[in-house]
Amino acid sequence: MYTIHKLAYIAIGGVLVAFGVLISPLNAQKDKFGVIECTKLNVVDANGEVKAWLGVNDVGGGVVSVSGNNGRGIINLRVDENGNGVVDVGGKDSRKARVTLGVNEVGGGVVGVGDSDDAKATAFIAVDEDGNGAVFVGGNDGKIAIGIGAAENGGGLVEVYGNDEKK
């Protein structure tokens, strides 16, 4: 036979179970999101300084950007104007890219290294449309000075460029 204490526990337990059944769908709805739409999502530190953001760049591609102290040092994952994925890494003294990994206009992979505020590549490794690899070195004006790579016939190729034309 049930005592008053046991009946009270059973009653309380039944109420809690019933309450849980009624409340759990509300909690499930509150904890789940479908689609959230916004043009930019900022992540800020305790001082309100933006340390990361997710948004759209000026050519219509998506961007995930992370920065360090005082906005210095940066990593961007982005889509460029050609629809190719790009990773930019900037140093602590500049927000401009110092290293870029991406895809060139002919679909080959590229690693570029720059050391100027305008992020002009001074050296890069690339693959051309025929699948041949090449290394290019340029000046701080962004113009290529020397190219070393594989030729179409399987041989090697060295090119030295002048200001306006290949020599």
Side-chain angles (χ1 to χ4, degrees):
M1 187 155 189
Y2 291 107
T3 65
I4 292 185
H5 289 97
K6 287 183 182 178
L7 289 173
Y9 287 131
I10 291 171
I12 290 171
V15 168
L16 290 175
V17 168
F19 186 71
V21 168
L22 292 173
I23 295 300
S24 65
L26 296 175
N27 287 339
Q29 294 298 319
K30 189 168 69 171
D31 294 339
K32 292 184 180 180
F33 294 94
V35 176
I36 299 172
E37 293 184 21
C38 62
T39 55
K40 186 175 179 184
L41 176 65
N42 288 338
V43 178
V44 298
D45 65 10
N47 298 321
E49 185 177 334
V50 176
K51 294 296 182 179
W53 64 274
L54 172 65
V56 179
N57 62 18
D58 56 355
V59 296
V63 177
V64 176
S65 181
V66 180
S67 63
N69 294 334
N70 299 320
R72 302 219 180 254
I74 194 163
I75 299 172
N76 286 328
L77 304 173
R78 62 183 172 88
V79 176
D80 69 10
E81 62 276 357
N82 299 315
N84 296 318
V86 180
V87 178
D88 298 314
V89 179
K92 66 181 179 180
D93 58 346
S94 175
R95 292 185 59 87
K96 299 291 184 177
R98 297 291 178 109
V99 178
T100 300
L101 290 87
V103 178
N104 62 20
E105 60 277 353
V106 296
V110 175
V111 177
V113 181
D115 194 28
S116 61
D117 287 339
D118 55 8
K120 292 179 182 169
T122 55
F124 61 94
I125 301 168
V127 176
D128 68 14
E129 65 272 7
D130 297 323
N132 296 317
V135 176
F136 296 94
V137 179
N140 61 7
D141 59 359
K143 294 180 181 177
I144 297 170
I146 298 171
I148 302 169
E152 292 177 16
N153 61 9
L157 180 67
V158 176
E159 298 176 328
V160 178
Y161 300 86
N163 285 338
D164 295 328
E165 62 185 343
K166 185 172 34 172
K167 289 185 179 182

